[in-house]
């Protein structure tokens, strides 16, 4: 009876929202989410010391099996595509897919995984993809040693940078060589086919199943808007571990606040309806907004982005971030601008080609974008630039 008359005594009644919200918070973030998300690689609840090593080993094992399946895919193709010769097409491709490859860890058959997926998706796409073309750009210094590239040359147009008149400059650091290789493949794409768009894909970036419907929607509908047409490039991949809301990208903060307002209002309405409350109060809406924002961030923004895959129109286009170039989309005009810019820059450790391309945006007053969720999966755990004998997923 004494507690009943005190203000904080009223808070301890189960019917009071304070106690209900406190219990919901403790159960969600102290019990349910940690138990549910402990194996979610990109979640704050991920138990790294328990799962990182076995998950990395399983990923490598699965990746090796995928490589063997890709090898068998091309071995089963009976008729090589002899009609497709470099520059020999009568039509101008709408989209040229240029796969840049270098020999590394041949047991994983990285480039075969990428090429087989693109080849299959193009076959399944049918008439909408009839003006799409694949070109392989082999930048291995000894092109004859790249067995997978030699196999693919039977099925698709292939260009070798080295092995002829082109020689490797021994004074080049590996980062500058990679930039020059990238620029060579981009320039060769324009010279050989003069496409409307070039999708430059590194040999460990496997396309998602929906890549072509999404690209068609983006290029024909979304990029018809003036502020998107002149973009220097569009990234189709950003590392999942860098997709959290708590990051330097201000656009994500706005998205996070908007998500909190939407989910907060929705959950507050459900709460008021189930508890037979006649009206909503702003503290209840604010609690559910903060609760939603915290839950989405801790579980992992990446997993909520995956929900957008249900339809091409749900994919978002946001200002680009710095890291990584597994899949980059250029228009013909923007590709020529990028080539001119890259010739002015010298790459080095700490200033790789992705950083160089990003630096151009401010230097040249350009703009670039990234598509979310990712349209390729980065499957290569062995870098061509850095030695890593025991790779991990994180």
């Amino acid at each position: 009876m004494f507690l009943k008359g005190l203000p904080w005594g009223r808070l301890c009644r189960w019917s009071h929202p304070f106690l209900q919200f406190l219990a919901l918070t403790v159960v969600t973030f102290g019990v349910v989410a940690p138990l549910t998300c402990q194996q979610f690689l990109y979640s704050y609840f991920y138990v790294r010391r328990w799962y990182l090593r076995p998950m990395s080993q399983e990923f490598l094992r699965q990746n090796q099996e995928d490589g063997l399946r890709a090898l068998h895919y091309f071995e089963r193709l009976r008729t090589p595509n002899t009609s497709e010769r470099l520059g020999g097409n009568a039509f101008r491709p709408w989209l040229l897919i240029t796969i840049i490859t270098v020999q590394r860890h041949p047991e994983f058959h990285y480039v075969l995984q990428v090429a087989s997926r693109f080849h299959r998706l193009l076959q399944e796409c049918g008439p909408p993809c009839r003006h799409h073309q694949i070109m392989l750009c082999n930048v291995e210094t000894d092109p004859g040693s790249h067995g997978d590239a030699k196999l693919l040359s039977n099925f698709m147009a292939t260009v070798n940078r080295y092995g002829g008149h082109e020689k490797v400059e021994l004074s080049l650091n590996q980062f500058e060589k990679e930039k020059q290789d990238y620029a060579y493949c981009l320039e060769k794409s324009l010279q050989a086919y003069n496409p409307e768009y070039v999708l430059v894909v590194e040999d460990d970036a496997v396309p998602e199943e929906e890549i072509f419907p999404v690209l068609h929607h983006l290029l024909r509908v979304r990029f018809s808007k003036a502020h998107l047409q002149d973009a220097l490039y569009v990234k189709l991949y950003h590392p999942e571990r860098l997709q959290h809301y708590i990051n330097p990208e201000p656009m994500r903060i706005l998205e996070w606040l908007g998500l909190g307002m939407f989910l907060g209002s929705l959950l507050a309405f459900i709460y008021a309806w189930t508890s037979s409350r006649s009206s909503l109060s702003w503290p209840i809406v604010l609690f559910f907004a903060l609760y939603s924002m915290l839950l989405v961030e801790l579980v992992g923004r990446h997993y909520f982005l995956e929900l957008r895959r249900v339809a091409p129109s749900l994919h978002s286009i946001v200002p680009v971030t710095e890291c990584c170039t597994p899949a980059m989309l250029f228009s013909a005009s923007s590709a020529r601008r990028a080539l001119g810019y890259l010739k002015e820059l010298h790459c080095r450790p700490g200033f790789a080609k992705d950083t160089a391309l990003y630096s151009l945006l401010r230097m040249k007053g350009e703009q670039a974008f990234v598509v979310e969720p990712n349209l390729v999966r980065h499957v290569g755990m062995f870098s061509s630039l850095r030695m890593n004998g025991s790779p991990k997923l994180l």
Side-chain angles (χ1 to χ4, degrees), residues 110-309:
Y110 286 130
V111 69
L112 295 185
Q113 292 187 51
V114 176
S116 64
R117 178 67 67 86
F118 270 119
H119 188 274
R120 177 177 63 80
L121 292 177
L122 284 177
Q123 300 298 313
E124 295 174 353
C125 180
C129 297
R130 65 183 179 273
H131 291 302
H132 296 14
Q133 176 71 31
I134 304 177
M135 185 184 86
L136 184 69
C137 187
N138 182 7
V139 296
E140 177 63 39
T141 53
D142 179 13
S145 67
H146 196 339
D148 288 344
K150 290 175 64 177
L151 172 63
L152 288 175
S153 66
N154 294 315
F155 301 95
M156 58 190 62
T158 302
V159 58
N160 298 314
R161 182 178 186 194
Y162 303 101
H165 298 293
E166 187 81 22
K167 301 297 181 183
V168 183
E169 294 183 37
L170 299 179
S171 60
L172 287 181
N173 68 72
Q174 191 64 26
F175 294 87
E176 175 63 15
K177 178 186 177 299
E178 185 192 47
K179 185 212 78 175
Q180 292 188 13
D181 290 342
Y182 194 90
Y184 171 86
C185 294
L186 182 57
E187 186 172 26
K188 200 67 177 179
S189 301
L190 296 175
Q191 291 175 352
Y193 287 101
N194 189 28
E196 292 189 43
Y197 296 96
V198 184
L199 174 58
V200 183
V201 182
E202 296 175 3
D203 63 1
D204 56 0
V206 177
E208 296 285 0
E209 293 288 332
E210 73 275 12
I211 186 169
F212 290 126
V214 174
L215 284 179
H216 295 163
H217 172 77
L218 294 179
L219 293 175
R220 290 170 174 154
V221 179
R222 306 279 284 280
F223 277 86
S224 61
K225 299 176 181 177
H227 71 287
L228 298 176
Q229 284 180 343
D230 295 327
L232 184 63
Y233 58 85
V234 179
K235 284 173 49 175
L236 306 190
Y237 174 85
H238 190 62
E240 293 86 351
R241 59 185 172 82
L242 301 178
Q243 289 180 340
H244 287 285
Y245 284 114
I246 301 178
N247 258 302
E249 290 80 25
M251 288 297 294
R252 293 191 195 171
I253 301 300
L254 295 177
E255 176 191 323
W256 197 22
L257 292 172
L259 182 68
M261 292 173 62
F262 172 74
L263 291 180
S265 301
L266 178 63
L267 292 176
F269 174 78
I270 294 173
Y271 171 78
W273 179 66
T274 55
S275 61
S276 301
R277 293 180 175 272
S278 58
S279 61
L280 290 176
S281 62
W282 73 262
I284 292 178
V285 175
L286 178 62
F287 165 78
F288 279 112
L290 295 175
Y291 171 86
S292 303
M293 292 170 65
L294 186 61
L295 182 63
V296 171
E297 173 65 7
L298 293 181
V299 171
R301 177 173 176 262
H302 162 73
Y303 300 105
F304 291 90
L305 284 177
E306 292 297 297
L307 300 176
R308 293 176 176 265
R309 295 194 188 277

